[in-house]
Amino acid sequence: MRRPALYSSSRPAGGARAPVTGHDLPLPLVAPPEPVAATAAARPRGWRRFVPGQMAMMWSTIFVLALALAAMFALNGPQRRLTQDDINAAVLKTMETQVMPSEYARAYDNIRPSVVRVVSYVKKSRLKDEEAKQVAKTPSAKNPKATKPIATESAAADDEVEAGVGTGVVIIDKGVILTNLHVVSGADRIEVIFHDGLKSAASIRGVQAENDLAVLQAAKIPDDMIAATMRSTNDLAPGDKVLAVGFPFGIGPSASGGVVSGLGRVFKSPEGKQEMKNLIQFDAAANPGNSGGPLVTMDGEVVGIVTAILNPTSARTFLGIGFAVPIENAATAAGLPPF
């Protein structure tokens, strides 16, 4: 059995001194190493000694930077808060240096996407039939001229003739359009042309004969259809600026500016067949073709539908007095609630 190792003291028993051998020679005195923890505590990481010249240079740099920062703050100072005078001055400067659109231009831009051209067509064959009936009612002359045979009705496009051109305004973005009744009355076909050039057939959805109004429904509408904004006439007053937009003599869309000349006016048609009341009188230029177009404020909001002009001569052109049906009446014709 293996004997366990035994450890004894360096001195033999009995106090006798053991003989000295080469292995027992005393070792030279060596200073003990510094404890690692103490050294780390004494010298932080990244620490290095600076010579006096380097220390002076460092403090000089810090002093110069401090002076630079102080000068910067002294020159700039704390930020001043904007006042109303500053804002007014900036607005005036912008108005002096930038060309701003006029009130009429802004109103036109707002209403333009909602204005449509309205064209009514009748068949030539029907016109000839009516003409023949009229001739039949006329007393025969001594030597009556022979009449040409009446052509039979044809479905071809060349059988149609343009009967009238007017204006309309979209009041519901589903393609509901307001115009004048006399623009579409007696038409065999109605076509509307939107602001983007889209052409669509339209049908009469309702009429308000006493105010010469008709409500149309377009079969197709643009993807970005925008309906006009309607505004009550309760706060409308003579002198207020207004804009009439339409297709006078088929030219357009055209815009003409003016003011409200009066309210609650009465107009009687030249034929004396109809009298309309509670109309808006305005002096913005309007001619045949403007019928059914919007009368708008400087905000581009519709306050009336242009319906007639006053001209006692046979020319039937604008002399400075136009009339529009208040939008409250027009909205009622479309089945919309009053303001």
Side-chain angles (χ1 to χ4, degrees):
M1 188 172 98
R2 185 176 178 181
R3 295 177 60 186
L6 299 176
Y7 297 90
S8 62
S9 63
S10 59
R11 292 189 179 187
R17 194 173 182 87
V20 177
T21 63
H23 296 287
D24 297 326
L25 291 176
L27 297 175
L29 296 176
V30 179
E34 294 181 2
V36 177
T39 304
R43 297 183 181 181
R45 185 177 181 182
W47 178 90
R48 65 190 184 100
R49 294 180 61 186
F50 285 92
V51 296
Q54 291 175 327
M55 291 291 292
M57 180 64 70
M58 181 183 69
W59 284 112
S60 298
T61 304
I62 294 173
F63 182 71
V64 170
L65 289 175
L67 285 178
L69 288 172
M72 183 181 67
F73 282 111
L75 290 175
N76 294 336
Q79 277 193 335
R80 188 170 63 87
R81 296 182 63 182
L82 287 176
T83 64
Q84 188 60 45
D85 291 338
D86 296 329
I87 298 173
N88 293 341
V91 172
L92 289 175
K93 183 66 175 177
T94 302
M95 294 178 67
E96 291 172 358
T97 57
Q98 302 292 330
V99 178
M100 305 296 289
S102 70
E103 292 178 287
Y104 291 113
R106 291 196 297 270
Y108 178 81
D109 286 340
N110 287 339
I111 194 62
R112 176 65 190 96
S114 306
V115 178
V116 300
R117 179 187 180 113
V118 181
V119 185
S120 61
Y121 296 92
V122 295
K123 294 178 180 179
K124 293 179 182 179
S125 55
R126 185 165 67 85
L127 288 177
K128 291 180 179 180
D129 286 341
E130 292 177 356
E131 183 179 348
K133 291 177 182 178
Q134 187 65 29
V135 170
K137 293 179 181 180
T138 305
S140 300
K142 188 175 182 181
N143 296 311
K145 294 181 180 180
T147 58
K148 296 180 180 179
I150 299 172
T152 57
E153 185 173 348
S154 172
D158 59 0
D159 185 46
E160 290 182 336
V161 62
E162 186 178 289
V165 177
T167 309
V169 58
V170 179
I171 58 170
I172 300 177
D173 58 9
K174 293 181 180 179
V176 179
I177 301 166
L178 269 177
T179 188
N180 279 151
L181 179 59
H182 72 261
V183 173
V184 296
S185 179
D188 292 314
R189 185 171 70 89
I190 302 170
E191 181 181 74
V192 294
I193 305 171
F194 293 94
H195 73 285
D196 62 351
L198 175 68
K199 296 182 179 180
S200 171
S203 57
I204 298 177
R205 171 175 164 175
V207 298
Q208 193 179 79
E210 64 272 20
N211 286 311
D212 191 24
L213 293 172
V215 182
L216 306 180
Q217 175 64 64
K220 296 185 296 183
I221 60 173
D223 293 334
D224 58 346
M225 185 73 263
I226 300 175
T229 300
M230 296 180 287
R231 170 184 164 181
S232 171
T233 59
N234 287 337
D235 59 349
L236 199 64
D240 285 344
K241 294 180 180 179
V242 287
L243 184 77
V245 182
F247 294 86
F249 300 108
I251 303 171
S254 300
S256 58
V259 299
V260 173
S261 303
L263 301 169
R265 300 297 197 227
V266 177
F267 172 76
K268 196 170 186 178
S269 65
E271 298 81 8
K273 296 179 180 180
Q274 185 177 8
E275 183 178 87
M276 291 184 289
K277 301 178 181 179
N278 191 35
L279 300 176
I280 303 169
Q281 179 188 338
F282 62 90
D283 68 354
N287 284 288
N290 276 104
S291 296
L295 185 71
V296 302
T297 65
M298 294 300 95
D299 295 324
E301 298 170 339
V302 182
V303 290
I305 299 298
V306 177
T307 190
I309 54 177
L310 180 63
N311 188 339
T313 71
S314 59
R316 302 283 181 91
T317 54
F318 186 68
L319 290 179
I321 298 178
F323 298 102
V325 178
I327 196 61
E328 286 88 346
N329 298 45
T332 303
L336 299 177
F339 295 99

